[in-house]
Each structure stands twice: as structure tokens, then as C-alpha cells.
């Protein structure tokens, strides 16, 4: 990471050693089944972060007062999911082992699996808080186990029942909802009802927070591969996000599924960047 | 309809004889006065329906449990409204006479007239529930009687006073509002207030349900020829739509005015497709 | 203004002498630091106003019943802010001195300065009501004093403390918020809370109303240079806008920061045009 | 034409009486069968003409030295072709009867029929020079006789054999090519070979020149409803166009089938505008 | 292939048994390293083929006179290249074994490998004619052997030296050009020079023809993942393509790398469709 | 230039001291009078250079064999041309004084003035070779002397008669062409005729080479603020460019007027990047 050849997220200019939080990008979208482009998400968030301020009027905090390192994107081989996940896990391992919080920018949702593997290796009692429009609970997709449509199921393979808390879900096949409701995960349809209770119960335990941005209504976030009407507003998401950060012990996190090529207005990228800033200030 | 050369809407693979509901497309937009493209609506809804699931978590129902036939698009001659409406009426007649519910995908709003003619021929006591941003009550537009801006007025020519119930209206000229309020139609400005009462009064009577998607706020649905700010949210529309389906005797219906070319993000098409799915499951 | 070579805003065909309100455009965006295009705003609002009706169902009023002159765009030299502001002030002076209300269509927000200079010259006890996502309170931007990021600060240079009322603000650097809160301006974060009280206190005094359209959430208004998530809805803005017009003595006003090139769907232009219509009918 | 409410083409500010050439727009595209948008062509050519110079380095002439009137667009009723053609013919009649050259900006190619009717009424020995990618020789399209795909056939109905000279043609059905080659029209495939000979033979006779811009290769002109690969370059078209103007007695002309909405780069509009300038200077 | 749920390429309505040529689509682009979207190519070519005529004025032939079956797209699992290639090979095997010519529509260029495997299994003395901007001769890309950047190298692994003829090449790394020139392939830079000689030498031998559309200059074909300036014109490519079809014994072929999402004007899709039509008529 | 926070152009990773050529960006477009966006040019060229190879098959050379430093963009204040030009001159001074060749990426064409001032300070006998569609010879634009439309005139103010050689010019007002032809500059209309002779005469003398990319036909380069039909092809430009580099003593150069926001396909950026690579390898 010596010779830096990329733009960092605004205000994240600490070097690795002094940082508390370490950003990295996972530009991979080879298993996206509908409309690709999430590979461009992490870079867009960085290069457009110049349109943001470092100061948050929501939290009255400033990124310049924090110690955050942006370690750039991992170079990932398209069409080779296993190897990509291996490289992601390796990067997250390094950050976790240095006692820092890894903050991954996707990429499609499959990348979460690599980071969760790393977090789970360090925290065997890990729980996952999952904001998403989609269940992501299929066992396979056209025979493929490593797919964005299966990522939470793959996490469950590791963590088992009662460790995964899903919010905002409004799409999936019938079997996925049934499987969740059979005790495998906690699945809250449509919104964030019950989030505070969940956080109270988790209090103190290590949490991986994965935020699939398509939990937002497409009115607020059109730039994503599989937009799904009926989602939450930006303010609802910001509130829920800050609630998680304040009340949970977040040991690793990610923001994923921005496909900036699908929103020429640039708004989706701006939304993602603002959420990243708020997350960086809140955890 | 023997040799099928089109993609069907997801989960609508029944053949005509066994189906309860029959979809068809009316790709016509020659009278659109502002920005054309509604001709592409029906086809986009079908080809992009692969991005949806067949299962609705709102209704806990699945399209695979229903018997729906998608009979494809009618080939309509652009610039010849009378002939186009004749062909639409003919298709709707066939479906109605077979005891099935015709579900038309527009196309501009004028296409509704052909389907209403067919429904009125079978149900002389027909009422219309009309969700829209625009009154569509002009008597003519630059001298043309068959225009998207006159379609509800043309329906009134058949049905007469007290049979047309309009909701969500927020645009029209002064004379149109005055004409409506003079007892010709029931016109609810801006939202769905009073919908439940209307449905109670209509109970049992045959209803044609015409859903102009621009009743949605353009934030939720930018892909339409004449976007009009100040509309309803997706959730409000979904609620109202399910309410109609549950409490009215819908004998025919349509969804119109998606112009997918005007929304490069694909969100408007996804919104339309999801509403079609919910309608198919609710009626 | 004799030989007119432009399209007027719908329903604004009065000549200068008989008009109460005089529209003009200020197509300038040379200091825009992020994404340019506001120069195209005023013209787009005019040429797309044909998609609106002259009648407002919100106010039950019609533009055809008013006397409004659209005096066209000023030809402004790009890259020469001082000269541009001089030309804007001159146009506003002419209108004010004729006892009419100048209504300027931007352009970037810097253009407000020229019009405020004119209004302040006539009304030394002028106050400003400012709707915006951004504070616009920097003293300079990369050493430049005449910048869209400094425009309200430049207004304060003239008006001094206690005369500027800001609403909807959700972005700025830490120092700007601190400066505002040190008594220089009234700054209401995020929404329009307290607007009614402010208007009561201002009752009778001359008010300049400057509406930066990015106060809207980007879901409702993506077509702007610096979209900022977390804004108000169209209905909230419409309500607040009508409230200002009804309860304040608005002597001059502007609507700015539409960049139509950044929203290919045309929705942002339609939103801006509708607000202009409502403002024209309400003041 | 007294109260002008539109922008004129650059340098065309003469009034009707003193002008030699009179521009007008025919914003109609209701019979376009593939992708609409030609309705926006005439207006875009005008409003973007500000990006051109009035001076042509090709001809060393300047529009400011000519007397050209731009009489604006005709308001045409969408979906009513017969009436639209009637209004077009009427406008062209007025111009021709005043001893001036009508120069029509389309619109789809069908609009040519109205102007040819007017020219034929005045010049019974009229010939047509037709640049196009498509034959436009169908007798009907889905039963409709008034269609952009039939426009040259409709002209032939009036003029008869040996009066129509087609160049650049590279698309049509087999029967259309056969019909042309049976002596009905002169049809030059792919390019302008033989143009000089044709012009020599026509010398002195009145010529209607109709330029369908899709004769250009889509590389040079993507903004059209039915792009057809394999066309001529801009320089080839400019040469051929100037050749026609210099050697033929052009009594009326049109440029059509720009659909600016299909080329977001604006290049197609700039190409069309430049050709209009060169035509205005050359005839 | 019994229940068809897709649109066929225009004029390709023969059933499998009676057809000479069988079209199929390979919607895969998971190894695309720069800008994805080739997955949408095959479907776009089909659905937009309605904008073409079945008749070619270049060859004076008509698709309706041929017996061509369009067997639809293969459902391929994204992110699993090995499995995707297996499915492609299987489809090509079926077609070849039935004595017909497989004509594959990509998809990214990697898909060629599956079809070449099938052709090579039947024709051990197979040669490849390869039109492309890129060498595609890397041994691996970030460690991945199955990549669009390696596809011709993988073909060489099977066929060996002197069997691969590349034309139009204008991009690659230094080592790839050196490797080609060391006798592994025949590589003609920039254009089609020498094509006729090559075809004469190949006379009678079985040829696989793979046409990467980015051999075209991006002026003619912008809709592709890795546009490379300096390519051939449409007419040059059409000539070379017809030359191959007339003089070589083409036993299988493909057209690939159309990414329709990258060219909103639709021109690239129209270009691809026209080439497919000409190929279908020429082989 | 110590802490690098940007991506460098591919293969340009030398540090300043060891480099022969030093790239820098001048992201300024405040005087652009038609369509802005050139400010995004330099950054887009860099970030998209990853789509290029470092090797040129045209010259058989590789960037990895050269010593080139990419020193990043200058932060320039929008709307303040004088200050921007001062900062540009300062950067070019540093590079020239270190005995290296400054290679500037625009930005609008006005930025050339700053770099020419620096080159002229070092080389009083400087000549300029200027490729462009436009004369850029106005004395002022709406009273503004520092404008992209005046930049070559401002250079002439320094260099005087007989030092400026313009090629490819096809737009300007009549007076500009007359002024050029009165002996102030050498102006070659439309193409590169005479370039070799000019270079022979200049042999040995210091040359500033300014390449306005709109000299290309918009078919090849749509992404620019003022596209002008009738330009040269990419191959013609590449040939002419290499000719200049091989036969002239180029002491400083720039490439300007890419507006990547105006070409969503990305082709224009790819074209610009390829020309930059060829220039870097040829000088």
C-alpha cells in the first residue's frame, strides 16, 4: 500500500497504522444476474466524495477529526468468485488482526461473504444485521452456490440459526421467506420495525453490518442492479443506520450494490457517499 | 395466437382456454401530445418482468398458483386511432366473451377507450375507477376527439353521469375541473381520499379499473410522457390498488402510460411490472 | 425588449408596461464548482412550460387571469462574474423602478446577488428568506469571493445580522454552521420548522425570496449540480412556498440551480416549472 | 405570424414580406413505426442553431447577407395525419403563392407529402430529388396509406413515372425495389452516383428536394428513428447537397427525420443545423 | 425447445429440423474486465431486428427464402465460466451433429471457446478466421485462464500453430504481438489486407468465423465494452464479411461483444443486426 | 506533489525528477459558451486510461519504456480566468525550467494560453501548431478577452504574425477568416494539407502543439462542447499528429476540449486517451 494510485474518500487520509477504521473497495459483480455495474460502485463513491463536505450536520462531527485510512480497491479477477472472495477475506483479515474495523465498499453483495468469513474467524459469536430489499437466501442460483442471490444463505452456513437479522426485505421467492420464518433468520418485511429491540438483545456482542443499498426505494436510489419498489426513504435509512451504529458493537461492515452506471444523474452515488460518511462518523 | 413469438410476463404461461385473466398489450401512442414512448410500455413490462419474483410478500400469493394467459401485443397501425381502437375492442371482446378478465397493458391512455367499449357492451351498468394525474376530460384536443387528453370524456359519452370515479387528479384546465364538478364525474384531487366509501357504494357492480401510472409522483415514476409533480408514493398507490381489487368487482382493467425510453435507469419499468404482478394476484 | 426571439413561460404574454410581475432569466453558471448546467435552467423552464397547464388546482387560479411579462434571458458573459452580476442588477433595477416584482430564473445561485443588490437599493430594510440544501456562507471559495458557495455571505455583507432566514439546510462545512449560529443568520436545519413564526415577525417588511431547488430531496429533483440527500418532498416545498407567498411581502424573488442536462427524464424541469407557476399565482 | 413566440434559426430574422426563403416547422411523427421523436426535430434545429456561425467557409457566404424568414412551427394535431397534411399544404401554399421558396423542417418524412402537394399545385411538371436510406415506396403500412413508409409512393400517385430520383437507398422490402426498377422511379442504391447526369437532364425544370437525414451513416447521424448502417459520410452528403442546389431549380425543399431525443450528445442536431445553413446559403 | 418464450430474429422462423442454420444466444459477460453489458447483446439483436427488412439490397436475397431456426438463448450461470462454456459446447454439438451450421450471438468473446470446442470435435482440421480490435492472446488475466482476453489463446491450445488468422487487430500488449509473430497465429494489424489470399489458401477446409464487433471503429459501433479507436468502417467490414462467407467453408460462426447498454442511440444494435442478416444470407 | 491523491495516466509513474515529459491537468471550463464539461476531461482521460494498453502497435513502442511523470490536476478556481491562467503558467514554468516537456490535459481551450505564456517566456521564437475545428481568433466574446473563442488571438498578441499554423478549421465568423488571411496566421481549412511543408520550414524551431480534439469529426468524437460536422477521421488525425511529433521540435503541448459528460458511451474519452498515449510515445 506504499505507492498510492487512487483517490481516497474525502477526509480519509490517515495511514494504515494510525487508523481506527480502514476502508477498502471490492470491485466485483460477476455473479450479478440482472444488470451489472456494481463493480464501479466503490470507485465512484470515492471519486465523487469531493461533492460532499467532511462535516455532518446530523451528528455534528467531522471526518477531519477522525483517523480513517482508505486503503484503495483490491484488484479482483472477474469471473472467478472463489479467488475474489479469498482476496477479500485476506484484506479483511489484515485489518481485523491489526485491531481495526474493516469497512468494505462493494461491489455486488456476494463480496460480503469474504469479509464475513474474516470477521467470523475472529469473532465466532458474530451476528449479522442485514438491510436489503432481497432475502438473498437461495441455496443456489442456476446451480451456482457463490452468487449474490445466495450470500446470506452462505453466511448462515457458517453462523447458523438465530444470528442473522434482516430488515426491509420485500422480494424473494416463496421458499426463501418460508425458510427464513422456519427459524433460520429473523426477517422483518418492508421496514425497520423491531430494530431497537434486536439491538438491545445483541448488546455487547460483535456485529457485522451489511447494508445493501437497494433497501432504499428506487425513487431515492435508482442506481442499482435490481431496483425493487416499495422501499424505505433516505431519512428512514439514515435513522436506522445511526441507530445500529450507536447501539451495536459493529466490528466490520460494508455498503454494497451501488451501480453508478445505471443512474446518469449521479444522485445514487451521492446518496451512497453520504451514508458512508455518516457510518464513518457514527461507528 | 398459435405461434407465439414474444416473451410472456413472468408466471403467465397458461394457454387461453384455461386462463382466468388474459393479458394483452396495446402498443400505441400516436396521439401523445408531449413526449412519446408509451408504445414501448407493454413490451418493456414483459421483457423486464424477469427481474421480478412470481411471489408477492404483500399478499403472500404466487403467480405460479394462478392461471393467467399472456396473449401478446396487438399489432396496431400508428397514426390511425380509429382502426387501433377497433382492434383493441375486438381483442377485449374475445376475452370477455370467453368469460375471462381482459388486462390490457398500454400504450398511451387513449387505448383504454377500446377496452371500455368492449366492457360496456357486455356490462351496460359499467362504472370506471380512474387513477391518474390528469383529468383527461377535454372534449377535443386541437380538434381531435380521439386523443389521450380526451379519453375519459369519451368514456363518459357512453356511460353518462355518476359512473366515473377519478382519484389522484392534479392537472387539467379550469374548464375540465368545472365540468367534472358539475356532476359529470366524481373527481378527487391529489389523493385517494374517499376511495373506500366509493367502493362500498359500488359493491357488486361491474367496474373497469384504469390505472394511469402517472398518478405516481415522478420521483417514483419518471418514465412517463407528462410527469406531474405532487403525486402519490408507491406504497400509497399499492394500498389503493389492492383496496380496489379486494372490494370492487373488476371485470376489466388496464395499466398505461409507461414510457420506458424516458427513464434510462429502468426503475419505472420495474415499478410498473410490480404493480401488474400485484394486480394479477389481487383480482 | 422589442423584438422577441424566445419562447415565453406559459401564460406570461403580457407586455412589460401592463405587467405586475416580470420574469427574466440569468443563464450563468461559471462559478459552479462541481457539475455545471444551471445555465440551461431558465431556458428549459420556459420551453418545457408547454407541458404544464395554466390552471392550478392547488390555488384554483389561472395564469391567464394574471398580468405577467416574460422579458427573456439576459445575455451574460461566461467566466466574468462581476460583469454578469452588473447586468443582472441592471435588469432588476428597471423592473423594480417600474413598480413591478422581478422574478429571476437562474442560473447558479450566485445570480441571486445581482437581484438582491437591486432590491436592497430600493428597500434598505430588506430581509431574505432562503430555501436551500447548502449554507452558501463561505467567505471565499479557493480565494474567489464571487462564488455560488458564498452568495448568502455576500448578501449578509450588505444586510448584516438578523436579516437572513435559512431553511432546509443540510450541508456545509463546520465553520459555516458555527458562523450562522453565532447570530449572523437564522439557520433551520433539514426542514421548514418555524417558518410560520418567522413570517409573522416579518409581517409587512419587504422580503426577497430565494429558492434554491436543491432544497428538494434528489428523489424529487435529481437535475441539479450538487444533489444532497435527505431533503424535503415536493409537497412539503409547495406548502412552504405558498406559505411564504401568502404571509410575506415578497418584493423580488428567484428560483435557481436547475441543471436540466443532469436529469434526462425531464422531471426536474417539470418540477421547477410547476413551482414557478405556483409562485406566479401566489405572489 | 404577428406575435412571435419562438426562437428563429440563426440569421433568419427577415419578415415574411421581404424574404426569399421561408422556413417553417412541421412537428409531426404520429406514423413513425419504430422509434418516435422526429416531432422534436424542427424545434431542436432552431434552438441549437446558436451553436453555429452564420458564415459558411464552404461557400464563403453569410446568412446575414440573405433575406430569410423563419415563420415558426405549425401546430399539428397528433394522430390525425390527414388534417396535419392539410395544414402543412396550406402553409406551403401561402409561401409559394407569395413567390418565395418554402423550406420545411420535419418531423417524420410523411410531412413531405403536404409540401409536395402545394408545390405540385403550382408546378405541374414538378420532379422530386430524394435522398434517403429507405425507399418509402410501400403502397400501405398495416393498411394505412398515410405513413412515413409510403410517402414517396404517395408522391408518385401525383407525379407519375420518371419524375422521382432517389439516391443513397439501402433499405426496403424486395417488392419496393422491384417496383422502383419497373420504371416508376429512378433508384440509386447506396450513394450519389449519377447525380450530376440527373441534374443535367432536369436543368431548368422545377424540383422539390427532400432530404431524409438518415441517408447519412448512423456514425454521422445517430439521432433518427430508423438508423440504417452503410450510409454516406457528412462530406459526401454536403457535396451532393450543394450540387443539387447549384444545378437544379429547387422550388421547395425539406429536411426531415431528425429525432434529437435519440442522440443525447447533440451531434445529430448540430449536423442537421449545419446542413440547413448550407442549404439556405446555396439555393 | 418446444415451448418458445422469446422473440426470434426477423425471418428466422423455421423449426430446428428443417433449418440449415441455427441461431442461438450466449448471454454471458462475467469475465469482461472493463465495462460489462455484452450479456444483453444477443437479446437486443433479436428484439430490435424488427427495425430491419428481411431483404438485402447488397446481396439481392431475402431471409424469407431461407430456412433458419432461431433456437433462443441458453440460460447461463453468471460467474461460472466453466459451466457456461460446457452448456455452450453442448448446444453447438447438437446443432453440428444434426448437420447444421451453428450461429452464436454473444455475449463476451469468451463464449467463442465453447463453440470452437464443438466445431473442433467435429472438424479436427479446423481453422479460425478472427476479426477483432484486440489480440485476445494472453495466457491468463490476473491468473484466470478463462477470460475474454485469453480466448484466442485458448483456441490455439487446441488448434496449434498456423490455424488462426487474425484481422483488424490494433490493441494488445507487446508480448501478445510478439507471440503471434513468432509463428503462432497470422496477425494482420489494422485492416483486412491479405484476406483474399488467406481464403484462397484455406479453400475447402472447415473454418470457424468469429466476428468481434469491436473491429469496427467506435464511430460506427460505440456500444461495446472496450472501444478502440482506429477501426474499420461499416462498409469495409461488410465487404470483408461477405468475402469470407463467399470464399470460405464456414462450418460455424459467431458475432459477439455488442453491449447495447453502452449505446443509448440504438445504432450499435442496428449495426449488429444488419451484419447478422447479411451473414445469414451469405453463408 | 508529495502526497499523491489521484490516479495517474497508465504507464506514467515516473517521479518528477527522472521524467522527460510531465503531464498535468487543467480542469477549467468557465468561459465555455455553449455546453460545459471540459473541466471533466483531464480526469476522465486518466481514470479511463486503464482501458488502454501501454503498448502502441502503430509505433511499436511502450509507455513502460519511457520516463513520464503525471503530476495530477491543478486546483483551479471556477469563474476566475485570470487566476486560473496564472496557476497554469506557474505549473508549466516549473516543468520547463526543469528542462522537461509540459503536456497539459484540458479543460477548455482557454487553458492553452497559460501554457503558451510559459513556453514563450522560455522560447521567444516560439511557433504554434494548432489543430481545431474553430478559428478561436475573436478579439473578444461579449466583451470578454479571456475566452475559449479568443485563445489563439491572445497567443497572437504575444507571438505576432507568421508564427501560428492552423489546420482543420471549418468554423468561425467571416471576420475571423478574413483576419487570418490578412497575414496574421496560416489557416488551412478542413484538413491537414500542407502540414509537411510547414513542418519542414519550422525545422529546428521550438513548437507549441495545441490539439483541440474537436478537429475530429463528431462521428469520431461526439464528446465536446461545440461539435462541428465535417471534420477529419481518427486515422487522419493520428497520422497528422505523429507527423508533427516526428518532424517538429515540440517543446510543450496540450490536448483539450474533451467533455466526457456529453458522450455517455465513453468513446470520446477512449479516443482522447489513445491520442495522449501516441503523443507521449512520439515526442
Amino acid at each position: 500500500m506504499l505507492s498510492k494510485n487512487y483517490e481516497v474518500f474525502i477526509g480519509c487520509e490517515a495511514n494504515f497504522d494510525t487508523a481506527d477504521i480502514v476502508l477498502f473497495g471490492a470491485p466485483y459483480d460477476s455473479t450479478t444476474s440482472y444488470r451489472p455495474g456494481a463493480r464501479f460502485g466503490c470507485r465512484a463513491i470515492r471519486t465523487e466524495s469531493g461533492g460532499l463536505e467532511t462535516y455532518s450536520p446530523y451528528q455534528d462531527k467531522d471526518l477531519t477529526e477522525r483517523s480513517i485510512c482508505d486503503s484503495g480497491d483490491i484488484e479482483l479477477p472477474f469471473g472467478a468468485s472463489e479467488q475474489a472472495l479469498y482476496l477479500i477475506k485476506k484484506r479483511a483479515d489484515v485489518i481485523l488482526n491489526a485491531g481495526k474495523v474493516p469497512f468494505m465498499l462493494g461491489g455486488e453483495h456476494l463480496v460480503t461473504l469474504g469479509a464475513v468469513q474474516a470477521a467470523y474467524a475472529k469473532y465466532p459469536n458474530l451476528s449479522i444485521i442485514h438491510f436489503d430489499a432481497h432475502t438473498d437466501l437461495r441455496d443456489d442460483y442456476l446451480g451456482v452456490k457463490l452468487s449474490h442471490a445466495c450470500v446470506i444463505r452462505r453466511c448462515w452456513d457458517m453462523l447458523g440459526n438465530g444470528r442473522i437479522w434482516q430488515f426491509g426485505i420485500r422480494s424473494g421467492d416463496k421458499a426463501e421467506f418460508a425458510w427464513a420464518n422456519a427459524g433460520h433468520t429473523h426477517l422483518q418485511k418492508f421496514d425497520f420495525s423491531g430494530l431497537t429491540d434486536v439491538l438491545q438483545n445483541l448488546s455487547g456482542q460483535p456485529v457485522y453490518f451489511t447494508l445493501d443499498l437497494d433497501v432504499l426505494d428506487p425513487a431515492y436510489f435508482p442506481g442499482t442492479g435490481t431496483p425493487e419498489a416499495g422501499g424505505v426513504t433516505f431519512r428512514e435509512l439514515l435513522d436506522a443506520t445511526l441507530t445500529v451504529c450507536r447501539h451495536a458493537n459493529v466490528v466490520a461492515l460494508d455498503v454494497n450494490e451501488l451501480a453508478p452506471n445505471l443512474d446518469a444523474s449521479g444522485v445514487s452515488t451521492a446518496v451512497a457517499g453520504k451514508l458512508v460518511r455518516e457510518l464513518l462518523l457514527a461507528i
Side-chain angles (χ1 to χ4, degrees), chain A:
Chain A
M1 300 176 201
L2 265 182
S3 93
K4 190 154 53 84
N5 187 12
Y6 55 91
E7 290 187 67
V8 300
F9 190 84
I10 192 168
C12 298
E13 307 194 16
N15 61 35
F16 185 86
D17 290 339
T18 61
D20 303 317
I21 306 173
V22 179
L23 278 170
F24 68 97
Y28 190 78
D29 63 0
S30 290
T31 82
T32 297
S33 51
Y34 193 46
R35 298 187 305 172
R39 67 177 64 187
F40 303 122
C42 41
R43 183 167 164 182
I45 288 174
R46 276 198 195 90
T47 58
E48 300 303 319
S49 66
L52 294 169
E53 303 282 350
T54 54
Y55 172 72
S56 163
Y58 301 92
Q59 305 187 53
D60 192 20
K61 295 181 186 170
D62 201 303
L63 288 174
T64 59
E65 301 156 359
R66 304 296 301 265
S67 258
I68 305 160
C69 168
D70 182 345
S71 69
D73 285 352
I74 314 176
E75 193 169 33
L76 299 172
F78 289 106
S81 301
E82 215 157 328
Q83 189 174 346
L85 290 174
Y86 168 77
L87 292 166
I88 291 166
K89 178 176 184 304
K90 228 174 63 178
R91 174 76 64 102
D93 278 341
V94 169
I95 298 166
L96 283 162
N97 292 339
K100 300 161 195 310
V101 172
F103 188 149
M104 178 169 61
L105 306 175
E108 55 156 280
H109 209 163
L110 178 62
V111 300
T112 296
L113 184 56
V116 166
Q117 287 169 338
Y120 179 63
K122 182 165 181 186
Y123 304 99
N125 61 334
L126 189 74
S127 290
I128 293 177
I129 293 179
H130 172 221
F131 289 1
D132 202 333
H134 307 90
T135 53
D136 290 356
L137 292 175
R138 289 171 197 265
D139 194 37
D140 73 271
Y141 192 77
L142 297 179
V144 176
K145 291 266 184 177
L146 296 179
S147 162
H148 72 119
C150 312
V151 62
I152 300 302
R153 182 67 172 263
R154 287 295 85 72
C155 292
W156 176 89
D157 289 345
M158 281 186 282
L159 276 63
N161 288 351
R163 290 295 182 78
I164 297 174
W165 312 83
Q166 307 184 280
F167 291 90
I169 310 297
R170 56 193 185 276
S171 180
D173 68 21
K174 198 170 185 170
E176 289 177 275
F177 282 91
W179 187 86
N181 292 333
H184 296 98
T185 74
H186 168 97
L187 189 159
Q188 171 64 33
K189 285 196 295 193
F190 310 137
D191 56 27
F192 300 114
S193 300
L195 176 61
T196 316
D197 291 348
V198 166
L199 291 171
Q200 232 158 1
N201 292 337
L202 287 175
S203 169
Q205 290 178 48
V207 164
Y208 187 102
F209 181 23
T210 180
L211 170 47
D212 186 327
L213 291 161
D214 67 20
V215 73
L216 283 163
D217 192 275
Y220 293 86
F221 193 74
T224 191
T226 318
E228 182 72 36
V232 300
T233 68
F234 176 80
R235 289 184 178 182
E236 287 168 348
L237 177 56
L238 179 59
D239 280 353
T241 296
L242 295 181
T243 300
V244 169
C245 293
R246 283 168 184 153
H247 298 290
N249 173 22
V250 176
V251 299
L253 73 163
D254 66 61
V255 168
N256 58 71
E257 291 289 359
L258 165 66
N261 55 315
L262 299 174
D263 178 9
S265 76
V267 165
S268 300
T269 302
V271 164
K274 188 162 182 175
L275 285 165
V276 168
R277 181 189 73 192
E278 296 299 319
L279 280 161
L280 286 168
L281 290 171
I283 56 176

